[in-house]
Amino acid sequence: MRLLSISSGKVMPLFGSHHPNYSTVASAINKQAISTLASPAPVEITRLGVAGDEQADPSVHGGIEKAIYVYPIEHYAFWSELLTRETKKSVELPLGAFGENFTIEGLLETEIFVGDQMQIGDLQFTVVKLREPCFKFNAKMGYKGAAKAMLQSGFSGWYLRVNQTGALSAGAEIQVLPGQRITSIADQNQAHFNRGNQKNLWD
């Protein structure tokens, strides 16, 4: 298991027609990889996440409990195929495409639990919860069914709390230190999707 890239983004207008009350909305979901395997520059990780990374709405993104958003590279092929089919355009997704700060390899939602510790390089993090996509994700992907597809597939990624600050570079090895292992991220994802179905959020 390893860290493939570290990504950061600034708040800027996000254009899309995927919410009835917004034609444009501010978001920092557009992330750029600033440390990769090809160029493993050290990046400062603070209690609030990647230094210089921004969030447009602190009530639902960022903060101590959502300092770092993690996404597995293994899901990229699913999204490239889905978006190519739905948008009728060839889609090749760059690292950080889902607004994640850490793109990782070798660890999935079914294998990681709320409360687990992730040791990445010399730094340690705690797994907090799944990512709950909203209309901004639909706009970012250019597909109005993207949020539903994320939860339906179980490919949500998860948030980390930073326990130990310092510098981190792409290529760092990842170790998982198990917690009580009661609720996996996959379990949270399924429950959230079921609640959405009950409330007809996906219709």
Side-chain angles (χ1 to χ4, degrees):
M1 298 180 288
R2 61 177 177 166
L3 177 63
L4 297 182
S5 74
I6 302 173
S7 298
S8 176
K10 299 294 185 183
V11 175
M12 61 184 64
L14 177 68
F15 295 85
S17 56
H18 304 284
H19 191 281
N21 299 326
Y22 299 92
S23 57
T24 67
V25 65
S27 175
I29 195 172
N30 289 309
K31 308 289 187 191
Q32 299 292 323
I34 55 176
S35 183
T36 65
L37 296 181
S39 181
V43 175
E44 188 68 22
I45 306 299
T46 74
R47 292 291 181 190
L48 294 176
V50 175
D53 189 43
E54 295 182 351
Q55 296 83 36
D57 185 353
S59 68
V60 292
H61 297 290
I64 297 293
E65 295 300 292
K66 296 180 181 179
I68 299 287
Y69 175 41
V70 177
Y71 204 73
I73 192 69
E74 286 83 357
H75 301 332
Y76 270 62
F78 164 83
W79 286 105
S80 291
E81 181 180 348
L82 175 66
L83 295 172
T84 295
R85 182 175 70 246
E86 295 296 334
T87 64
K88 305 297 189 291
K89 302 175 183 177
S90 180
V91 174
E92 292 187 16
L93 298 166
L95 295 174
F98 302 94
E100 77 268 25
N101 302 111
F102 291 175
T103 309
I104 65 167
E105 179 181 59
L107 186 64
L108 302 176
E109 290 85 352
T110 53
E111 302 165 320
I112 194 77
F113 288 68
V114 175
D116 282 354
Q117 308 288 310
M118 288 180 66
Q119 184 79 30
I120 308 178
D122 294 330
L123 307 188
Q124 192 175 87
F125 307 82
T126 297
V127 177
V128 178
K129 64 177 298 183
L130 84 162
R131 184 254 188 94
E132 301 173 40
C134 66
F135 72 94
K136 292 183 182 180
F137 181 63
N138 292 342
K140 170 66 167 64
M141 296 292 106
Y143 169 48
K144 66 181 180 180
K148 179 180 180 179
M150 173 170 274
L151 292 170
Q152 191 170 32
S153 65
F155 300 161
S156 63
W158 59 90
Y159 287 108
L160 300 177
R161 180 191 314 126
V162 179
N163 301 331
Q164 185 177 349
T165 62
L168 195 58
S169 301
E173 292 188 5
I174 298 173
Q175 291 181 302
V176 175
L177 308 173
Q180 293 185 332
R181 312 222 105 190
I182 296 171
T183 304
S184 71
I185 294 298
D187 293 335
Q188 275 197 341
N189 190 102
Q190 186 61 53
H192 190 70
F193 181 70
N194 290 342
R195 286 196 298 272
N197 278 341
Q198 292 168 3
K199 296 177 181 179
N200 298 318
L201 295 181
W202 313 123
D203 295 336

